[in-house]
Amino acid sequence: MAPLLEVDDLHVHFFTRDGVVKAVDGVSFTLEPGRTLGMVGESGSGKSVTALSIMRLIPEPPGKVVSGDIRFKGRSVLQMSEKEQRDMRGNRIAMIFQDPMTSLNPVYRIGKQIGEPLRLHKNMTGKESVAAAAELLGRVGIPRPKERVRDYPHEFSGGMRQRAMIAMALACGPDILIADEPTTALDVTIQAQILELMQEIQARTESAIMMITHDLGVVADMADNVLVMYAGKAVEYGPADEVFYRPLHPYAWGLLESLPRHDVDDKGKLCPIKGQPPSLINLPSGCSFSPRCAYAQDICRSQAPPLAEIDPGHSSACHFSADKQFIAQSPRCAMEGR
């Protein structure tokens, strides 16, 4: 199946007075119809910048895509004209932004905001777009949608605002839905409802989903493939089952060991990753993770490892990922008896 989206060796820098911030530093992945990509990593690892680059929403200046390519259905997004980008944005590729309270305009009614992409891309009148907005609100589970389209964002709860953002993103039936932390600050019941809603929509429309989240439980539940990012780089990429049950990179090991587990007798202790992510202006030499890696050796501090395929479809950016004895040290592998 031909991919909908191809991100090829993407580099995005921000030019500041303090120096060049390498926010995205050589990221590559593909996304196929009906599939979900989970993108995980600590804050500042480059996840949201990657998504905004795909949407062509990076402010220039100070940001700039300095190299690489983004292809949607085989065509370079970076080579599109401004008009073509506007036609694509919100129409063929839509995004659910991280904070619905700040993403929704507080002075416009919900119906008008949800109907905006329909007026822009489908040439609907104002009345038609509000009627369509009410239908969309009903589809995402908002009660009394014909009345609620006249409400303002502050009259919606957090979960309802997130549903309104999903309705807005789905208005034009996009091929790709980018969800940036769609369940942040929502209680677990609402989180489950939002994720179930997204899965139902994907099953019905065959849309692809790019899910950006800190919640590895969400990724385990929804993702077909997982991209693990650290300091602007992709350090592991592969099928979700492989990444969760046979991780190849020590950073992925650390993320998984930071999760509480009920099936292991570890006396309730968590194993956090020590230290802090590096400055994206002054990255360490060699592997960016080496200052925090308990397994780092001299080669790690002097040479940056490339993202290389270790198993079919499963890649890692570690000098030792192909070494079976090294991988056997993975705490997750030890727990699984591997």
Side-chain angles (χ1 to χ4, degrees), residues 95-118:
M95 186 167 178
I96 304 170
F97 292 93
Q98 193 167 131
D99 185 354
M101 194 64 231
T102 58
S103 299
L104 292 168
N105 192 317
V107 301
Y108 288 106
R109 298 181 192 275
I110 289 288
K112 183 173 183 178
Q113 297 189 61
I114 294 175
E116 183 177 6
L118 296 170

Side-chain angles (χ1 to χ4, degrees), residues 15-91:
F15 298 87
T16 72
R17 284 182 291 183
D18 294 325
V20 179
V21 179
K22 297 180 179 179
V24 178
D25 196 14
V27 170
S28 300
F29 61 87
T30 59
L31 187 56
E32 292 79 27
R35 306 281 286 179
T36 298
L37 171 71
M39 188 177 289
V40 300
E42 292 168 279
S43 296
S45 61
K47 306 182 301 297
S48 294
V49 174
T50 300
L52 292 172
S53 300
I54 293 168
M55 297 291 290
R56 301 296 288 137
L57 290 174
I58 295 292
E60 298 185 18
K64 185 178 181 180
V65 177
V66 296
S67 64
D69 201 5
I70 302 166
R71 293 183 293 274
F72 174 62
K73 292 187 175 181
R75 188 172 177 208
S76 175
V77 173
L78 303 181
Q79 300 301 319
M80 291 181 180
S81 66
E82 285 289 337
K83 182 181 183 304
E84 289 172 323
Q85 291 174 21
R86 287 195 300 270
D87 288 342
M88 176 197 72
R89 191 185 302 126
N91 187 21

Side-chain angles (χ1 to χ4, degrees), residues 287-304:
C287 174
S288 298
F289 187 59
S290 61
R292 305 175 69 189
C293 181
Y295 307 93
Q297 300 183 29
D298 289 343
I299 190 175
C300 304
R301 300 180 184 93
S302 60
Q303 297 180 29

